[in-house]
Amino acid sequence: MPTILYTALLMLGLLSQSTSPLSGLEEVQLRDQYGSTDSLAAHHGHVVVVMVVDAKRLRNLRPWARELREHFDDLETILIAEVPADPPTTYERVVEKLGERIPDDVSILIDMESLWAQTLDLDASRPNLLLMDRAGNLTATYQGRHESGLAATVVKHVEVLLAAP
């Protein structure tokens, strides 16, 4: 009887495992406005906050980035500008616009195919903060403009992730 129970529990455990919502995104290499590439996989072993927003709304990430810098010195962040297909544009045009609006020391990955927003079903018209643990697992998704209540929740969640082994 214990063998049957063990087998049933094992089967239930295997059935309950689902594919990662990040399936395929970990290895996606995106270029920033300087031509350098980065991917989520390059940050494996670290707590990471990925911020995704429409390229035209990047200014909405500024208060989030400031909040996270104020609380955490060693937190890795990835900023992704999602570029909608309509109206059509080019990587070079996006780089030109970022050069006009973004400080020189800030790297923004450019997602020309909207892979992150589409894969994770994100509304890129609003800031999306994706919290990853050290193993690269998506632990939480927060969406919305920076406001104190939501910011406090995000900060607490990041503290928990950083405290975990």
Side-chain angles (χ1 to χ4, degrees), residues 56-115:
K56 293 179 181 176
R57 293 179 168 83
L58 279 168
R59 70 185 171 280
N60 294 330
L61 293 183
R62 191 173 301 138
W64 281 113
R66 185 176 28 247
E67 179 85 32
L68 293 172
R69 271 194 318 272
E70 286 175 8
H71 287 89
F72 308 105
D73 293 329
D74 58 346
L75 180 64
E76 297 195 19
T77 59
I78 300 173
L79 307 176
I80 300 176
E82 191 251 12
V83 181
D86 191 31
T89 190
T90 64
Y91 169 81
E92 292 75 20
R93 180 76 177 129
V94 174
V95 167
E96 179 184 325
K97 287 294 182 184
L98 290 178
E100 296 168 2
R101 299 179 179 147
I102 303 297
D104 290 340
D105 62 338
V106 176
S107 170
I108 307 288
L109 297 178
I110 302 168
D111 189 352
M112 294 297 295
E113 287 93 34
S114 301
L115 295 171

Side-chain angles (χ1 to χ4, degrees), residues 3 6 12-13 16 25 32 63-65 72 74 76 80 89 109 119 125 127 129 138 159-161:
T3 305
Y6 174 75
L12 283 173
S16 68
L25 288 177
D32 68 8
W64 281 113
F72 308 105
D74 58 346
E76 297 195 19
I80 300 176
T89 190
L109 297 178
T119 302
S125 69
L129 281 70
L138 176 62
E159 286 173 345
V160 168
L161 290 174

Side-chain angles (χ1 to χ4, degrees), residues 6 12 16 37 42 46 48-49 55 69 81 87 103 120 131 134 137 139 143-144 146 155 157:
Y6 174 75
L12 283 173
S16 68
T37 60
H46 300 275
V48 180
V49 176
R69 271 194 318 272
L120 298 174
L131 278 56
R134 295 179 198 284
N137 298 312
T139 63
Q143 186 178 71
H146 182 275
V155 166
H157 196 143

